[in-house]
Amino acid sequence: MVLVDDAGGEWPMIGHAPWNGCNLADFVMPFFLFIVGMAIALALKRIPEKLVAIRKVILRTLKLLFWGLLLQGGYFHDLDKLKYGVDMNRIRLCGILQRIALAYLIVAIIEITTRQAQSKELPMGWFSIFKLYSWQWVIGAWVLVVYLATLYGTYVPDWNFVVQNPDSVDFGKTLTVTCNVRGNLDPPCNAVGYIDRQILGINHMYPRPAWKRSKSCTKNSPYEGPFKDDAPSWCWAPFEPEGILRITRPDFCIGLAWA
């Protein structure tokens, strides 16, 4: 994370891909979820009582949510000038720790409620791992099917937003993004952003998404820099990379599979 955060701007190949693609930074969250899944299985083996285990899981989830909102909700403005505080009308509700917390909560509850159904001995054969953890595989497959159905089946209408970037000539103006599509995976018209805008509210989403470095927006893509003169309106819009639908994406299935 130190390498990605501090050097990603100078070497884009290790930072997050603007949209399509997969760079070094894009492996960080799946690896976090992999570690969480492994830790769940190891930690819960020492807690045989279901109620005790569920209580510990809920407490840890609340701790992660608290620190996520504190660190990524917009509380710290300028550490060098000791500026703190947050506007509750614009607080960022989602983030890395919040996403890990909710995935951890769901996977841990599934592990607690299904571990009694697991065989104590590993069956023989090529597909023994699927037989031993059949419920986990079924739930993971179901989550993936629902995710894909939502991603490709949700209708995304036109939407508006107010430009909050003071560097834009359109600062304070309301811009319109034209969509009216279904199953689109491009930055402005995908179901992920639409669901976040409807549930979280556009004012509670991340204001500096990686798509601002895409070829459609930035002159020096994939580097940061000034926008093109003919950049589409959505380049100025916020987007939540750790939003609601992303909690149920394959990252969650990775954690579930390894739990």
Side-chain angles (χ1 to χ4, degrees):
M1 286 303 299
V2 172
L3 179 65
V4 168
D5 289 343
D6 293 343
E10 296 297 328
W11 295 290
M13 70 287 300
I14 68 172
H16 286 291
W19 191 252
N20 294 319
C22 189
N23 296 344
L24 178 62
D26 299 306
F27 286 96
V28 174
M29 177 55 74
F31 284 153
F32 276 166
L33 269 296
F34 173 85
I35 295 169
V36 170
M38 294 292 294
I40 288 172
L42 295 174
L44 293 180
K45 285 182 178 180
R46 300 181 299 172
I47 310 175
E49 297 84 0
K50 285 188 177 181
L51 292 180
V52 175
I54 291 174
R55 187 162 54 247
K56 288 181 176 291
V57 166
I58 293 175
L59 179 61
R60 178 162 295 176
T61 299
L62 293 175
K63 289 180 180 179
L64 288 170
L65 289 173
F66 169 77
W67 285 111
L69 287 172
L70 181 65
L71 296 174
Q72 292 190 292
Y75 182 78
F76 298 101
H77 297 287
D78 192 336
L79 295 179
D80 295 334
K81 297 180 181 179
L82 298 179
K83 292 183 179 179
Y84 306 99
V86 64
D87 180 2
M88 294 303 296
N89 293 321
R90 306 196 65 82
I91 186 173
R92 184 186 177 194
L93 298 177
C94 294
I96 298 293
L97 291 180
Q98 296 95 308
R99 183 168 160 191
I100 293 176
L102 294 179
Y104 164 77
L105 174 64
I106 297 171
V107 174
I109 295 299
I110 293 173
E111 172 67 12
I112 292 171
T113 55
T114 60
R115 60 184 176 182
Q116 297 297 330
Q118 297 174 9
S119 173
K120 301 302 181 182
E121 297 182 1
L122 182 65
M124 301 299 292
W126 290 99
F127 300 100
S128 59
I129 189 68
F130 296 98
K131 294 179 181 178
L132 184 61
Y133 300 102
S134 56
W135 277 109
Q136 285 88 339
W137 286 108
V138 168
I139 295 172
W142 177 82
V143 168
L144 190 57
V145 169
V146 172
Y147 169 78
L148 292 175
T150 305
L151 188 66
Y152 287 98
T154 302
Y155 172 76
V156 181
D158 296 346
W159 53 283
N160 304 316
F161 70 97
V162 177
V163 178
Q164 300 293 334
N165 191 329
D167 296 331
S168 172
V169 295
D170 296 321
F171 176 64
K173 295 182 179 179
T174 300
L175 302 182
T176 300
V177 180
T178 303
C179 291
N180 288 320
V181 294
R182 192 187 308 272
N184 190 286
L185 302 182
D186 292 333
C189 299
N190 60 80
V192 174
Y194 171 70
I195 291 175
D196 287 339
R197 290 190 295 271
Q198 295 299 308
I199 298 179
L200 300 176
I202 197 167
N203 291 331
H204 298 288
M205 297 166 63
Y206 186 53
R208 298 182 298 277
W211 75 23
K212 293 181 181 290
R213 295 186 285 106
S214 65
K215 293 181 180 180
S216 299
C217 300
T218 310
K219 295 179 180 179
N220 300 324
S221 178
Y223 295 91
E224 295 183 3
F227 281 178
K228 296 179 178 179
D229 296 334
D230 59 346
S233 59
W234 54 264
C235 292
W236 298 102
F239 179 78
E240 185 51 70
E242 277 78 44
I244 294 173
L245 192 58
R246 286 170 173 255
I247 294 173
T248 60
R249 60 183 280 183
D251 290 354
F252 167 84
C253 296
I254 292 173
L256 177 60
W258 285 104

mmCIF file of all heavy atoms in Angstrom, residues 14-47:
data_model
loop_
_atom_site.group_PDB
_atom_site.id
_atom_site.type_symbol
_atom_site.label_atom_id
_atom_site.label_comp_id
_atom_site.label_asym_id
_atom_site.label_seq_id
_atom_site.Cartn_x
_atom_site.Cartn_y
_atom_site.Cartn_z
ATOM 1 N N ILE A 14 1.726 0.673 -11.612
ATOM 2 C CA ILE A 14 1.528 0.068 -10.299
ATOM 3 C C ILE A 14 0.350 0.694 -9.562
ATOM 4 O O ILE A 14 -0.037 0.220 -8.503
ATOM 5 C CB ILE A 14 2.799 0.165 -9.428
ATOM 6 C CG1 ILE A 14 3.093 1.614 -9.037
ATOM 7 C CG2 ILE A 14 3.984 -0.457 -10.136
ATOM 8 C CD1 ILE A 14 4.209 1.744 -8.033
ATOM 9 N N GLY A 15 -0.212 1.771 -10.099
ATOM 10 C CA GLY A 15 -1.400 2.379 -9.509
ATOM 11 C C GLY A 15 -2.654 1.713 -10.043
ATOM 12 O O GLY A 15 -2.614 0.782 -10.839
ATOM 13 N N HIS A 16 -3.797 2.194 -9.600
ATOM 14 C CA HIS A 16 -5.054 1.642 -10.080
ATOM 15 C C HIS A 16 -5.248 1.964 -11.554
ATOM 16 O O HIS A 16 -4.943 3.069 -12.009
ATOM 17 C CB HIS A 16 -6.227 2.213 -9.283
ATOM 18 C CG HIS A 16 -6.336 1.651 -7.900
ATOM 19 N ND1 HIS A 16 -6.701 0.345 -7.658
ATOM 20 C CD2 HIS A 16 -6.132 2.220 -6.685
ATOM 21 C CE1 HIS A 16 -6.729 0.128 -6.351
ATOM 22 N NE2 HIS A 16 -6.380 1.252 -5.738
ATOM 23 N N ALA A 17 -5.745 0.997 -12.299
ATOM 24 C CA ALA A 17 -6.086 1.235 -13.693
ATOM 25 C C ALA A 17 -7.224 2.249 -13.756
ATOM 26 O O ALA A 17 -8.148 2.185 -12.942
ATOM 27 C CB ALA A 17 -6.504 -0.066 -14.377
ATOM 28 N N PRO A 18 -7.193 3.206 -14.691
ATOM 29 C CA PRO A 18 -8.259 4.210 -14.769
ATOM 30 C C PRO A 18 -9.647 3.599 -14.914
ATOM 31 O O PRO A 18 -10.603 4.081 -14.320
ATOM 32 C CB PRO A 18 -7.873 5.031 -16.004
ATOM 33 C CG PRO A 18 -6.398 4.874 -16.130
ATOM 34 C CD PRO A 18 -6.112 3.474 -15.664
ATOM 35 N N TRP A 19 -9.774 2.533 -15.688
ATOM 36 C CA TRP A 19 -11.050 1.805 -15.772
ATOM 37 C C TRP A 19 -10.773 0.369 -16.200
ATOM 38 O O TRP A 19 -10.654 -0.514 -15.378
ATOM 39 C CB TRP A 19 -12.019 2.492 -16.736
ATOM 40 C CG TRP A 19 -13.397 1.925 -16.638
ATOM 41 C CD1 TRP A 19 -14.030 1.138 -17.553
ATOM 42 C CD2 TRP A 19 -14.315 2.081 -15.556
ATOM 43 N NE1 TRP A 19 -15.287 0.797 -17.105
ATOM 44 C CE2 TRP A 19 -15.493 1.360 -15.875
ATOM 45 C CE3 TRP A 19 -14.259 2.757 -14.318
ATOM 46 C CZ2 TRP A 19 -16.598 1.293 -15.031
ATOM 47 C CZ3 TRP A 19 -15.361 2.687 -13.471
ATOM 48 C CH2 TRP A 19 -16.504 1.969 -13.838
ATOM 49 N N ASN A 20 -10.659 0.115 -17.504
ATOM 50 C CA ASN A 20 -10.325 -1.224 -17.975
ATOM 51 C C ASN A 20 -8.855 -1.518 -17.698
ATOM 52 O O ASN A 20 -8.000 -0.637 -17.807
ATOM 53 C CB ASN A 20 -10.597 -1.345 -19.474
ATOM 54 C CG ASN A 20 -12.081 -1.239 -19.803
ATOM 55 O OD1 ASN A 20 -12.915 -1.801 -19.098
ATOM 56 N ND2 ASN A 20 -12.401 -0.505 -20.851
ATOM 57 N N GLY A 21 -8.554 -2.754 -17.362
ATOM 58 C CA GLY A 21 -7.170 -3.126 -17.091
ATOM 59 C C GLY A 21 -6.987 -3.612 -15.671
ATOM 60 O O GLY A 21 -7.904 -3.587 -14.851
ATOM 61 N N CYS A 22 -5.798 -4.075 -15.370
ATOM 62 C CA CYS A 22 -5.494 -4.601 -14.039
ATOM 63 C C CYS A 22 -4.023 -4.336 -13.734
ATOM 64 O O CYS A 22 -3.142 -4.905 -14.377
ATOM 65 C CB CYS A 22 -5.795 -6.102 -13.974
ATOM 66 S SG CYS A 22 -5.690 -6.803 -12.322
ATOM 67 N N ASN A 23 -3.770 -3.452 -12.793
ATOM 68 C CA ASN A 23 -2.412 -3.112 -12.380
ATOM 69 C C ASN A 23 -2.129 -3.663 -10.984
ATOM 70 O O ASN A 23 -2.973 -4.327 -10.381
ATOM 71 C CB ASN A 23 -2.214 -1.599 -12.400
ATOM 72 C CG ASN A 23 -2.338 -1.014 -13.795
ATOM 73 O OD1 ASN A 23 -2.280 -1.736 -14.789
ATOM 74 N ND2 ASN A 23 -2.524 0.289 -13.881
ATOM 75 N N LEU A 24 -0.930 -3.378 -10.484
ATOM 76 C CA LEU A 24 -0.527 -3.899 -9.175
ATOM 77 C C LEU A 24 -1.517 -3.516 -8.085
ATOM 78 O O LEU A 24 -1.894 -4.347 -7.252
ATOM 79 C CB LEU A 24 0.873 -3.383 -8.832
ATOM 80 C CG LEU A 24 1.429 -3.802 -7.462
ATOM 81 C CD1 LEU A 24 1.577 -5.308 -7.383
ATOM 82 C CD2 LEU A 24 2.760 -3.119 -7.192
ATOM 83 N N ALA A 25 -1.953 -2.262 -8.066
ATOM 84 C CA ALA A 25 -2.853 -1.803 -7.006
ATOM 85 C C ALA A 25 -4.192 -2.528 -7.030
ATOM 86 O O ALA A 25 -4.860 -2.647 -5.998
ATOM 87 C CB ALA A 25 -3.082 -0.291 -7.138
ATOM 88 N N ASP A 26 -4.594 -3.033 -8.194
ATOM 89 C CA ASP A 26 -5.886 -3.695 -8.306
ATOM 90 C C ASP A 26 -5.894 -5.089 -7.683
ATOM 91 O O ASP A 26 -6.955 -5.706 -7.553
ATOM 92 C CB ASP A 26 -6.297 -3.785 -9.783
ATOM 93 C CG ASP A 26 -6.425 -2.416 -10.421
ATOM 94 O OD1 ASP A 26 -7.158 -1.588 -9.870
ATOM 95 O OD2 ASP A 26 -5.778 -2.168 -11.454
ATOM 96 N N PHE A 27 -4.726 -5.605 -7.314
ATOM 97 C CA PHE A 27 -4.643 -6.898 -6.630
ATOM 98 C C PHE A 27 -4.738 -6.748 -5.113
ATOM 99 O O PHE A 27 -4.899 -7.740 -4.408
ATOM 100 C CB PHE A 27 -3.327 -7.599 -6.968
ATOM 101 C CG PHE A 27 -3.269 -8.163 -8.357
ATOM 102 C CD1 PHE A 27 -2.676 -7.449 -9.383
ATOM 103 C CD2 PHE A 27 -3.822 -9.403 -8.639
ATOM 104 C CE1 PHE A 27 -2.617 -7.965 -10.667
ATOM 105 C CE2 PHE A 27 -3.776 -9.929 -9.916
ATOM 106 C CZ PHE A 27 -3.174 -9.205 -10.937
ATOM 107 N N VAL A 28 -4.627 -5.516 -4.603
ATOM 108 C CA VAL A 28 -4.547 -5.315 -3.157
ATOM 109 C C VAL A 28 -5.835 -5.743 -2.462
ATOM 110 O O VAL A 28 -5.814 -6.508 -1.493
ATOM 111 C CB VAL A 28 -4.214 -3.845 -2.837
ATOM 112 C CG1 VAL A 28 -4.274 -3.596 -1.334
ATOM 113 C CG2 VAL A 28 -2.830 -3.484 -3.373
ATOM 114 N N MET A 29 -6.996 -5.263 -2.933
ATOM 115 C CA MET A 29 -8.255 -5.609 -2.282
ATOM 116 C C MET A 29 -8.558 -7.109 -2.339
ATOM 117 O O MET A 29 -8.947 -7.697 -1.322
ATOM 118 C CB MET A 29 -9.402 -4.794 -2.876
ATOM 119 C CG MET A 29 -10.775 -5.136 -2.299
ATOM 120 S SD MET A 29 -10.870 -5.023 -0.495
ATOM 121 C CE MET A 29 -10.873 -3.263 -0.290
ATOM 122 N N PRO A 30 -8.417 -7.787 -3.490
ATOM 123 C CA PRO A 30 -8.630 -9.244 -3.471
ATOM 124 C C PRO A 30 -7.714 -9.969 -2.493
ATOM 125 O O PRO A 30 -8.144 -10.926 -1.833
ATOM 126 C CB PRO A 30 -8.337 -9.663 -4.918
ATOM 127 C CG PRO A 30 -8.647 -8.451 -5.722
ATOM 128 C CD PRO A 30 -8.239 -7.289 -4.872
ATOM 129 N N PHE A 31 -6.458 -9.506 -2.362
ATOM 130 C CA PHE A 31 -5.552 -10.139 -1.400
ATOM 131 C C PHE A 31 -5.983 -9.846 0.036
ATOM 132 O O PHE A 31 -5.840 -10.697 0.917
ATOM 133 C CB PHE A 31 -4.115 -9.672 -1.632
ATOM 134 C CG PHE A 31 -3.468 -10.326 -2.825
ATOM 135 C CD1 PHE A 31 -2.446 -9.683 -3.520
ATOM 136 C CD2 PHE A 31 -3.873 -11.569 -3.257
ATOM 137 C CE1 PHE A 31 -1.850 -10.285 -4.623
ATOM 138 C CE2 PHE A 31 -3.288 -12.175 -4.358
ATOM 139 C CZ PHE A 31 -2.271 -11.534 -5.034
ATOM 140 N N PHE A 32 -6.496 -8.633 0.294
ATOM 141 C CA PHE A 32 -7.046 -8.336 1.618
ATOM 142 C C PHE A 32 -8.170 -9.309 1.956
ATOM 143 O O PHE A 32 -8.221 -9.863 3.053
ATOM 144 C CB PHE A 32 -7.587 -6.897 1.660
ATOM 145 C CG PHE A 32 -6.550 -5.860 1.948
ATOM 146 C CD1 PHE A 32 -6.808 -4.518 1.728
ATOM 147 C CD2 PHE A 32 -5.314 -6.202 2.457
ATOM 148 C CE1 PHE A 32 -5.858 -3.552 1.992
ATOM 149 C CE2 PHE A 32 -4.352 -5.250 2.723
ATOM 150 C CZ PHE A 32 -4.627 -3.922 2.495
ATOM 151 N N LEU A 33 -9.081 -9.511 1.011
ATOM 152 C CA LEU A 33 -10.205 -10.412 1.247
ATOM 153 C C LEU A 33 -9.739 -11.852 1.386
ATOM 154 O O LEU A 33 -10.317 -12.632 2.150
ATOM 155 C CB LEU A 33 -11.214 -10.285 0.111
ATOM 156 C CG LEU A 33 -12.334 -9.252 0.273
ATOM 157 C CD1 LEU A 33 -13.223 -9.611 1.437
ATOM 158 C CD2 LEU A 33 -11.792 -7.848 0.448
ATOM 159 N N PHE A 34 -8.692 -12.230 0.659
ATOM 160 C CA PHE A 34 -8.106 -13.569 0.800
ATOM 161 C C PHE A 34 -7.583 -13.765 2.223
ATOM 162 O O PHE A 34 -7.844 -14.790 2.871
ATOM 163 C CB PHE A 34 -6.976 -13.733 -0.215
ATOM 164 C CG PHE A 34 -6.186 -15.004 -0.052
ATOM 165 C CD1 PHE A 34 -6.613 -16.181 -0.632
ATOM 166 C CD2 PHE A 34 -5.008 -15.012 0.680
ATOM 167 C CE1 PHE A 34 -5.873 -17.346 -0.479
ATOM 168 C CE2 PHE A 34 -4.272 -16.166 0.835
ATOM 169 C CZ PHE A 34 -4.708 -17.338 0.255
ATOM 170 N N ILE A 35 -6.881 -12.765 2.739
ATOM 171 C CA ILE A 35 -6.342 -12.844 4.099
ATOM 172 C C ILE A 35 -7.475 -12.918 5.118
ATOM 173 O O ILE A 35 -7.423 -13.687 6.097
ATOM 174 C CB ILE A 35 -5.420 -11.640 4.377
ATOM 175 C CG1 ILE A 35 -4.188 -11.696 3.471
ATOM 176 C CG2 ILE A 35 -5.001 -11.592 5.838
ATOM 177 C CD1 ILE A 35 -3.360 -10.422 3.496
ATOM 178 N N VAL A 36 -8.513 -12.107 4.905
ATOM 179 C CA VAL A 36 -9.660 -12.119 5.820
ATOM 180 C C VAL A 36 -10.315 -13.495 5.830
ATOM 181 O O VAL A 36 -10.654 -14.030 6.894
ATOM 182 C CB VAL A 36 -10.679 -11.039 5.405
ATOM 183 C CG1 VAL A 36 -11.983 -11.194 6.193
ATOM 184 C CG2 VAL A 36 -10.107 -9.651 5.637
ATOM 185 N N GLY A 37 -10.504 -14.087 4.640
ATOM 186 C CA GLY A 37 -11.118 -15.410 4.576
ATOM 187 C C GLY A 37 -10.307 -16.468 5.305
ATOM 188 O O GLY A 37 -10.865 -17.308 6.029
ATOM 189 N N MET A 38 -8.987 -16.432 5.144
ATOM 190 C CA MET A 38 -8.132 -17.384 5.852
ATOM 191 C C MET A 38 -8.196 -17.166 7.359
ATOM 192 O O MET A 38 -8.251 -18.114 8.139
ATOM 193 C CB MET A 38 -6.693 -17.243 5.355
ATOM 194 C CG MET A 38 -6.485 -17.645 3.905
ATOM 195 S SD MET A 38 -6.712 -19.411 3.627
ATOM 196 C CE MET A 38 -5.345 -20.088 4.551
ATOM 197 N N ALA A 39 -8.199 -15.887 7.777
ATOM 198 C CA ALA A 39 -8.212 -15.575 9.209
ATOM 199 C C ALA A 39 -9.522 -16.004 9.863
ATOM 200 O O ALA A 39 -9.534 -16.444 11.021
ATOM 201 C CB ALA A 39 -7.988 -14.076 9.412
ATOM 202 N N ILE A 40 -10.634 -15.865 9.129
ATOM 203 C CA ILE A 40 -11.933 -16.259 9.686
ATOM 204 C C ILE A 40 -11.925 -17.748 10.047
ATOM 205 O O ILE A 40 -12.311 -18.138 11.155
ATOM 206 C CB ILE A 40 -13.057 -15.958 8.677
ATOM 207 C CG1 ILE A 40 -13.284 -14.450 8.585
ATOM 208 C CG2 ILE A 40 -14.354 -16.658 9.079
ATOM 209 C CD1 ILE A 40 -14.245 -14.052 7.481
ATOM 210 N N ALA A 41 -11.492 -18.574 9.104
ATOM 211 C CA ALA A 41 -11.509 -20.017 9.348
ATOM 212 C C ALA A 41 -10.602 -20.398 10.514
ATOM 213 O O ALA A 41 -10.954 -21.260 11.332
ATOM 214 C CB ALA A 41 -11.075 -20.746 8.075
ATOM 215 N N LEU A 42 -9.438 -19.770 10.612
ATOM 216 C CA LEU A 42 -8.500 -20.106 11.685
ATOM 217 C C LEU A 42 -8.983 -19.603 13.037
ATOM 218 O O LEU A 42 -8.880 -20.298 14.050
ATOM 219 C CB LEU A 42 -7.120 -19.521 11.361
ATOM 220 C CG LEU A 42 -6.422 -20.093 10.122
ATOM 221 C CD1 LEU A 42 -5.130 -19.330 9.843
ATOM 222 C CD2 LEU A 42 -6.137 -21.573 10.299
ATOM 223 N N ALA A 43 -9.522 -18.367 13.069
ATOM 224 C CA ALA A 43 -9.922 -17.772 14.346
ATOM 225 C C ALA A 43 -11.164 -18.441 14.928
ATOM 226 O O ALA A 43 -11.245 -18.675 16.142
ATOM 227 C CB ALA A 43 -10.168 -16.279 14.160
ATOM 228 N N LEU A 44 -12.138 -18.754 14.086
ATOM 229 C CA LEU A 44 -13.396 -19.295 14.592
ATOM 230 C C LEU A 44 -13.271 -20.744 15.061
ATOM 231 O O LEU A 44 -14.156 -21.238 15.773
ATOM 232 C CB LEU A 44 -14.480 -19.183 13.518
ATOM 233 C CG LEU A 44 -14.906 -17.751 13.165
ATOM 234 C CD1 LEU A 44 -15.985 -17.760 12.097
ATOM 235 C CD2 LEU A 44 -15.383 -16.996 14.398
ATOM 236 N N LYS A 45 -12.208 -21.426 14.677
ATOM 237 C CA LYS A 45 -12.002 -22.789 15.181
ATOM 238 C C LYS A 45 -11.819 -22.803 16.692
ATOM 239 O O LYS A 45 -12.103 -23.803 17.355
ATOM 240 C CB LYS A 45 -10.782 -23.411 14.507
ATOM 241 C CG LYS A 45 -11.026 -23.846 13.068
ATOM 242 C CD LYS A 45 -9.779 -24.504 12.499
ATOM 243 C CE LYS A 45 -10.020 -24.994 11.075
ATOM 244 N NZ LYS A 45 -8.819 -25.651 10.493
ATOM 245 N N ARG A 46 -11.335 -21.696 17.255
ATOM 246 C CA ARG A 46 -11.075 -21.619 18.696
ATOM 247 C C ARG A 46 -12.299 -21.152 19.477
ATOM 248 O O ARG A 46 -12.211 -21.004 20.704
ATOM 249 C CB ARG A 46 -9.905 -20.684 18.957
ATOM 250 C CG ARG A 46 -8.606 -21.118 18.293
ATOM 251 C CD ARG A 46 -7.489 -20.170 18.621
ATOM 252 N NE ARG A 46 -7.763 -18.820 18.138
ATOM 253 C CZ ARG A 46 -7.004 -17.763 18.425
ATOM 254 N NH1 ARG A 46 -5.962 -17.901 19.217
ATOM 255 N NH2 ARG A 46 -7.307 -16.587 17.936
ATOM 256 N N ILE A 47 -13.419 -20.869 18.779
ATOM 257 C CA ILE A 47 -14.616 -20.367 19.447
ATOM 258 C C ILE A 47 -15.783 -21.287 19.077
ATOM 259 O O ILE A 47 -16.513 -21.028 18.111
ATOM 260 C CB ILE A 47 -14.926 -18.914 19.034
ATOM 261 C CG1 ILE A 47 -13.678 -18.036 19.163
ATOM 262 C CG2 ILE A 47 -16.059 -18.347 19.895
ATOM 263 C CD1 ILE A 47 -13.858 -16.632 18.663
#
